[in-house]
Amino acid sequence: MSGWVAVAGLGPGDERLVTEEVRAALAEATDVVGYIPYVARVTPREGLTLHPSDNRVEIDRANHALDMADKGRRVVVVSSGDPGVFAMASALFEALEARAAPNLVDIRILPGITAMLAAAARLGAPLGHDFCVINLSDNLKPWELIEHRLRLAAQAGFAMAFYNPRSSSRPHQFARALDILRLECGNERLISFARAVTTPEERLLTVSLGEATPEMADMRTVVIVGNADTRRVGRFVYTPRSAR
Ligand code: SAH
């Protein structure tokens, strides 16, 4: 039997949000590759080898998956949320591109529900009009570029979703991001912190930018900032579909 690689999104956490397509790929797989906490979400079974690896080794992990597929194994590379959003799908193609003789084994990217969409649904509809998405981690790009994009996105009137908002290794940067947002959007703008969405640890908090503090976010939080029209209705937050 010939090998394949499927790069699959496991969704934000709730098992019910794993797609049928991803379940089917996992049922046929011989090997699962991924970051330790994501591989831990896959139920072990006979005939399935789990290969958990540490963070920040995306290219090694992708090469491992491609090598196994070349040998006829059926490999699922797992990401949380969607594999194309700040995750393994791009790493796989980067590894493929770097190969002297890329063997275009059967490769599929299987979408999943990304964190910001799960968070938006929990909050109401904060992304109901034009929005943009920024990864606030400076692991793979300079912090200056992040600040630049943040400013322009705010000036363009987008609602915004931020992934990887804050980690202990760079505690000051999110405080700086909040300062920039306050300057560009004003203190009244709504900001939502959605932590561990669809898991038992889920926590949702919406405040004004004037009230927001860096401690409201951690690495399990996706942050959503509304546009100038975003407002509350009861316990929900929504952005109207029309712009002023
Ligand atoms: N591929 C993933 C994103 C990976 S980057 C996706 O599509 O969702 C990791 C970041 O995603 C975290 O720092 C956090 O900002 C966000 N995230 C992932 N799962 C989350 C969840 N259940 N609740 C809130 N944010 C989450």
Side-chain angles (χ1 to χ4, degrees), residues 55-187:
N55 214 354
R56 300 195 188 195
V57 293
E58 281 92 354
I59 300 296
D60 296 347
R61 197 186 284 149
N63 275 315
H64 185 203
L66 290 169
D67 289 343
M68 287 194 288
D70 278 344
K71 293 185 186 115
R73 314 275 303 172
R74 302 185 295 278
V75 187
V76 176
V77 181
V78 286
S79 284
S80 75
D82 181 273
V85 179
F86 311 130
M88 280 304 296
S90 293
L92 188 93
F93 291 118
E94 209 176 317
L96 195 66
E97 193 179 37
R99 296 194 158 206
N103 178 4
L104 294 174
V105 285
D106 184 1
I107 293 173
R108 290 173 297 154
I109 310 300
L110 311 182
I113 296 177
T114 190
M116 77 176 167
L117 297 184
R122 276 287 199 266
L123 292 162
L127 303 178
H129 194 71
D130 299 343
F131 65 92
C132 76
V133 186
I134 302 176
N135 184 345
L136 293 188
S137 164
D138 66 348
N139 275 349
L140 300 169
K141 62 187 167 187
W143 176 253
E144 294 67 36
L145 181 62
I146 297 173
E147 284 198 9
H148 181 62
R149 288 184 176 160
L150 199 57
R151 267 195 207 93
L152 293 187
Q155 286 168 13
F158 287 117
M160 292 164 267
F162 303 125
Y163 284 70
N164 295 303
R166 187 164 173 260
S167 83
S168 47
S169 61
R170 46 187 177 84
H172 308 301
Q173 290 176 348
F174 186 58
R176 172 93 187 113
L178 287 177
D179 286 342
I180 292 170
L181 288 167
R182 276 189 281 264
L183 207 68
E184 300 291 346
C185 307
N187 277 342

